[in-house]
Amino acid sequence: MTENRNKTNILSRTLDRRTALKGLGATAAGLAVGPGFVRYAQAQSSEPIRIGFQAHRTGIGAAYGRWYERTTTAAAKLINDAGGINGRPLEIVTEDDGTDPKRGAEVVEKFANQHKVDVVFGTLFSHVVVGSAPTAGELKIPYYVVSEGYHVASGKLNRYVFQPGITDVKAQVSSMAPWVSSNLGKKVTMIFPDYAFGHDHRDFFTAAMQAQGGEVIQHVPIPPTESSFTRYLPQIPSETEVLYHVMVGPGVLTFVKELGEFYGGGGPKLFGFIDSLEAVDIASPGLEFLEGSHFWEGMPRYLQPDAPDYVKAYRDAVGIDDNGASKEDGKDVSTAAHMFGCWETLYVIKAAMESAGYQGPDDRAKLVEATEAMTEFAAGPEHPQGDKKFNGKIHQCFGHQNISQVADGRLNVVHTTSIEDGMYEPEADYTTQSL
Amino acid sequence: MGFGPHLLLASLEGLVTAAVLSLTALGLSLVFGVMRVVNVAHGEFFMLGAVLAWFFSTLVTGHPAVGFLLALVLSPLVVGLVALICERLVLRRLSYDPEATIVATIGMLYIIQQLALTFYGPEARPVLAPFNFRVALPWFGYSGYKLAVIAASIVLMGMTWFVLTRTRIGLVMRATQFDRETAQNFGIPVDRVYAIVFALGAMLAAVAAVLIVPIQQAHYLMGLDPLLLSFIVVIIGGLGSLRGTVLAAVLIGLSDGIISVFFSPTLAKMIATLLVALVLVFRPQGLFGTVAR
C-alpha cells in the first residue's frame, strides 16, 4: 500500500483532489478484486494453507469416507484453534472421488490446477491410491495417503506419495502372525478380497506364518463385486484351525453373517481384520457367533480402561462415544481402527511444513524433503494411536497393532504389538528419485 | 467337505439366485414382450425397491417381521407408482419408439440412482430378516430365510402365471402383445394396458429386491448386476415368454451357483455370456420366444 500512496502523491500534483481520491479508490478496489495480486501484496502471512481432501463420499468406501471426513474436520479445527500452520489457518477443500481410481486421479488434478491446494491428503482405498499416485507425481504435488496397502512402502509409487499416519499391511500382518500361531493355531485358511489390498494380506501373512512354523493351507480370494459369500465357504478345509478373514465394502455385514450361518457355534477359530466389521455394530443380530473371536484393530473402537487422556480428548473431538459410535446416533458406528490416520497425518503435514518453513507451492520440494527427514512421532494429542517410527526412504510409518477379543458384544484389547514386531527390511528408496 | 454336501450347498445358493433373478427378469421380459420397450432402468427399480424396503422397515419398531412385511407390501406399491409416473411422463410422450425409449430409460437410470444417493445416501444398510432360523445340516448350516426366499419366489411366479394366463387382465395383455393395432380396434385401451404393464414390471423387480435385502443389504449401486443378469436371462429364455424366463433364470442361477463354487465366479459369468452368444447365433428369438412378425 505504501507504493500506492507514493504513486498518488506524484499524480496529485497535476490532478485535483477529488480525481485523485477516485483513482485511489479504484486502485484499491482493483487490488482487492484482482486475482493473484492481493496474495502477494498483503496476505503472505494470513493466506490459508489449503489441503485437498480426497474423500470417499460415495461408492463402496462411503462409510470410511464419512468418518475420515469427520476426523479430518476435527483435527483441522484443533490445529486452527492452536494458531494454524506457520501462523496461517488451515483450510480443507474436499472433493468426492466416488471410491473410483479414475475419478481419484481427476480429483488430484482438480486440486492442483483448479483449487490450487498446497498438498493432497486423505484417501483410503488402495485402488484409488494406486490410480491417483501417478497424477500426483506428474503434477509434483505431495500426496499424503491414509491407506493401508503396501503400495507406498513397496516403492512402486513415486516420491510425492507418503503414508505417515497408518501402518501398512505388511507390517500389520507380520507383527501379528506370531501371536496368531502361538495362541490360535498353526493351520490357517485365508479369505480375502481379490485385489491389491487383499493380495498384500495373502502374500505377507502367508510368509509371516511360515516364518512362525505355521502354514496357510488354503487361500480363498473373493471378487470385489461379490455380494453373497456362502458359496465360497465350502472351500475352507475341515482341518483348518484358524480362519483368517478380511473383507471390505458394503458386503461386510453379509459376509460375517453368512459365516455365522455356515458354522453356527462350531468351526475353526476366527481371526479377522476389523475391516470385515468396520462401521458395523458388533451387537447386530446374527453376529452372536463372533463372541470370543479375535480382531486386528489399528486403534481400539471401544474405549479401553487404561486409555490415556489424550485418547479420550481425541475421541471427544471426533465425536465418538465409549462404544466407538457417533455421539449423536448410536447406530452410526465409526471406522475407529483406520480414521485416526487422518488426524495423525494432518499433524505430520503440519510438522513437516513448519520444519520446511513452507510458504507456498514453490516450496513443495522442500516439504517432501522435510517429510522424508522425519524419523519418530511421539504418542500424545497429535498421535493418539501411539508412537511411531517413520522411514523416509520408503515414506512409510511403523506403529503398534492391537489384537482385540469380542466379549459381551464389545472389543477388548488383549495384546498390543511392539513397533519392532512389524519392522521389515525396506525394498525401496524414494529419496534417490529426482524432485 | 465331501462332493455331495458341496453340490447341495452350491445348488441351494444357485436356487436363491435363480429365485430372485426369475422375478426380476420376468418384469423386464413382460415390459418388453407387451410394450417392446427395452427398460434399461429396470435395475434401478430393483434398487429403489431395496432402498424403500430399508426405509419402511425402519418406520416401525418391534419384531423384525412387522417391518419386513410392511416393506413387502409398501415398497412394490411405491415403486409401481414411480414407474407409472415415468411411463406417463416419458415413455408415452415418446410413443414407445424403441430407440428413443432406450435413451430415455438410460436417463431414468441415472436420475433414480442420483436421487437414491441424495436422499438415502451412499451407505449399505441392512434390513432385518423376518426370522433368523439356521437350518443345521450335518455338514453345514444354512439360512432358513434363504429357503423361504425360494419358496416365496415360486408362489409369486405362480401368481404371475395365473394372472397372465387365466384372468381377463392377462388376456388383454396378451392380446396387446400379439397385435397392438387389432387389440385397439377391439376396444382394448392399449394405452392404459401399457401403463399397467410397465408398473407391474417394476413391481416385480421391487418384490425381488425386498426379498433379497435381508441377505444382501440395500445400496444405491446394487441395480447393475440384476440388470445385466436379467438381460442375459431374457435373451436366453426368449423375450416375453414366462416359461422361457423361468427356465433360463433357473439355468443361469444354478450354473452360476455350481460353477462358481467348483471353479470360479469368472468362469460362471463367461459361460453365461457364451450361452447368450450361442442363443443369439442359433436361436435369436430365445429358447421359448416366438419369431417377431
Side-chain angles (χ1 to χ4, degrees), chain A residues 163-168 171-172 175 296 298 340 344 377 385-390 396-402 416-423:
Chain A
Q163 188 153 264
I166 190 164
T167 320
D168 66 273
Q172 289 168 356
S175 67
W296 163 85
F340 68 88
E344 300 204 358
F377 309 126
Q385 192 261 350
D387 56 325
K388 290 183 181 60
K389 288 198 163 113
F390 185 74
Q396 176 63 53
C397 77
F398 296 89
H400 302 276
Q401 314 301 330
N402 300 294
T416 301
T417 68
S418 74
I419 296 181
E420 287 67 30
D421 291 344
M423 299 283 259

Side-chain angles (χ1 to χ4, degrees), chain A residues 59 66 232 234 250 254 261-262, chain B residues 9 122-123 134 141 215 217 220 265:
Chain A
R66 184 172 73 242
Y232 297 93
T254 313
E261 276 160 3
F262 189 78
Chain B
L9 181 109
E123 284 87 38
R134 178 174 178 266
I215 305 174
Q217 308 189 57
Y220 80 106

Side-chain angles (χ1 to χ4, degrees), chain A residues 242-262:
Chain A
V242 185
L243 183 63
Y244 175 106
H245 61 95
V246 46
M247 293 300 300
V248 286
V252 290
L253 182 62
T254 313
F255 169 72
V256 190
K257 269 189 180 167
E258 292 188 354
L259 204 56
E261 276 160 3
F262 189 78

Side-chain angles (χ1 to χ4, degrees), chain A residues 30-41:
Chain A
L31 280 175
V33 175
F37 190 62
V38 106
R39 206 173 291 166
Y40 299 105

Side-chain angles (χ1 to χ4, degrees), chain A residues 307-362:
Chain A
D309 285 343
Y310 56 77
V311 168
K312 290 176 189 157
Y314 157 80
R315 296 175 71 100
D316 284 342
V318 176
I320 54 172
D321 62 15
D322 290 358
N323 297 326
S326 164
K327 281 183 175 170
E328 272 125 48
D329 176 8
K331 283 184 178 166
D332 188 3
V333 177
S334 71
T335 57
H338 297 85
M339 67 196 195
F340 68 88
C342 290
W343 179 287
E344 300 204 358
T345 304
L346 268 191
Y347 275 104
V348 171
I349 295 173
K350 176 181 188 290
M353 282 185 167
E354 285 171 353
S355 108
Y358 182 86
Q359 294 295 327
D362 291 344

Side-chain angles (χ1 to χ4, degrees), chain A residues 58-69:
Chain A
T58 56
I60 59 166
Y64 285 93
R66 184 172 73 242
W67 282 98
Y68 267 40
E69 208 167 336

Side-chain angles (χ1 to χ4, degrees), chain B residues 108-130:
Chain B
M108 276 153 56
L109 181 161
Y110 284 118
I111 293 170
I112 296 173
Q113 199 177 81
Q114 187 57 43
L115 286 176
L117 177 61
T118 308
F119 292 102
Y120 168 81
E123 284 87 38
R125 297 181 222 229
V127 169
L128 294 181

